[in-house]
Amino acid sequence: MLRYEDRGHGPAVVLLHGFPLSRRIWAGQIDHLSRRYRVVAPDLPGLGESEPLPDSEPPTMLAMARRVLELLDYLKIDRAAVAGHSMGGYVSLALQKEAPHRVAGLALVCSQARSDAPEARQARFVLAERVMQEGAQVAADALAPRLFGPRVTERSEVYQETLALMRASRPEGVRAALLAMADRENMRPHLVTITVPSLVLAGEADAIIPLERAECMAANMANAILVKVPGAGHMPMLEAPEAVSEALDWWLELVY
Ligand code: MLT
């Protein structure tokens, strides 16, 4: 069973974190949303406090999504609004495809629907090997300088805390997440089938997933609103927590 936070009462909202992070990135939104909703924020397999997937199970977005569905079963939540950040967005899309009846609304935060280009995929395999030899800090140190927009400097507290969170990840969990991302399905053809109220949120200064991908996803979804957060990079929930909470409020008004 995944480790998780379950806070508040009311219609359910699930928050899925990105790579190689944990549910802690959503702390501000958990505080805010739990005043009106039941907020469930798990640590994805092998990250944060959650156990990795067993060796017998190939790491995929679907395997992670199934763990989230098992958690919802355990918590007796039939249907939830699901929001995913970056890799958490890939898991959210896999979950929505696997069990559309359980998803009341979908929010993709600094995420994308497409799969990796061949070079990017190859780079993930190389990094996965290095992580097993040298530790999770290799992935953390590679990602950190590209995570934030120009307002967050290397010396700032949020930068250092996020770096420490990523460096503390278990190498096996980081490797599994990299392999799962490298092999993820292209979900672009699936987007047109998603009709529940959706939010596509992007940081205007995201150096990891370009803004055009968010614009393209929103245009391909039947019922999506697009919110761009000025000045924010790939971590708007930390860089502009109020703007992100406000956008999630707006989306959840449409969902429930
Ligand atoms: C993430 O933030 O979850 C990852 O950087 C996404 C990715 O590498 O595709």
Side-chain angles (χ1 to χ4, degrees), residues 27-45:
Q29 287 68 42
I30 296 172
D31 281 348
H32 177 84
L33 296 175
S34 61
R35 293 181 209 139
R36 289 182 62 193
Y37 301 98
R38 179 176 182 187
V39 185
V40 175
D43 284 341
L44 289 170

Side-chain angles (χ1 to χ4, degrees), residues 7 24 34 37 39 47 94 118 135-136 139 168 173 188 190 195 203 253:
R7 189 130 50 99
R24 282 175 47 195
S34 61
Y37 301 98
V39 185
L47 296 169
R188 287 160 84 192
H190 178 67
T195 53
E253 286 287 341

Side-chain angles (χ1 to χ4, degrees), residues 1-5 17 20-24 41-52 165 168-170:
M1 179 67 63
L2 298 178
R3 300 292 291 267
Y4 63 95
E5 179 150 358
H17 64 81
L21 295 154
S22 80
R23 64 188 195 259
R24 282 175 47 195
D43 284 341
L44 289 170
L47 296 169
E49 296 175 320
S50 286
E51 289 299 317
L165 181 65
S169 303
R170 278 186 251 208

Side-chain angles (χ1 to χ4, degrees), residues 10 31 78 100 170 184 207 225 230 249 256:
D31 281 348
D78 286 338
R170 278 186 251 208
R184 74 185 189 278
I225 45 177
D249 273 342
Y256 291 119

Side-chain angles (χ1 to χ4, degrees), residues 18-19 85-87 90 112 124 143 181 184 208-209 234:
F19 168 86
H85 169 242
S86 202
M87 183 186 78
Y90 312 158
Q112 58 190 339
R124 302 230 203 240
L143 201 53
M181 288 195 286
R184 74 185 189 278
I208 292 179
I209 298 184
H234 192 61

Side-chain angles (χ1 to χ4, degrees), residues 133-195:
Q133 276 154 26
E134 298 168 48
Q137 74 278 1
V138 184
D141 294 356
L143 201 53
R146 301 170 63 219
L147 273 187
F148 294 99
R151 285 198 295 254
V152 175
T153 66
E154 213 173 297
R155 284 199 309 274
S156 66
E157 204 175 318
V158 67
Y159 185 104
Q160 290 302 327
E161 280 177 8
T162 309
L163 181 60
L165 181 65
M166 296 193 297
R167 282 182 172 168
S169 303
R170 278 186 251 208
E172 320 83 69
V174 175
R175 173 178 178 273
L178 283 164
L179 299 183
M181 288 195 286
D183 279 338
R184 74 185 189 278
E185 190 184 336
N186 174 17
M187 288 289 191
R188 287 160 84 192
H190 178 67
L191 288 180
V192 292
T193 70
I194 301 173
T195 53

Side-chain angles (χ1 to χ4, degrees), residues 89-107:
Y90 312 158
V91 178
S92 305
L93 283 167
L95 190 155
Q96 197 281 336
K97 190 174 178 202
E98 172 76 357
H101 54 287
R102 307 211 47 189
V103 178
L106 185 68

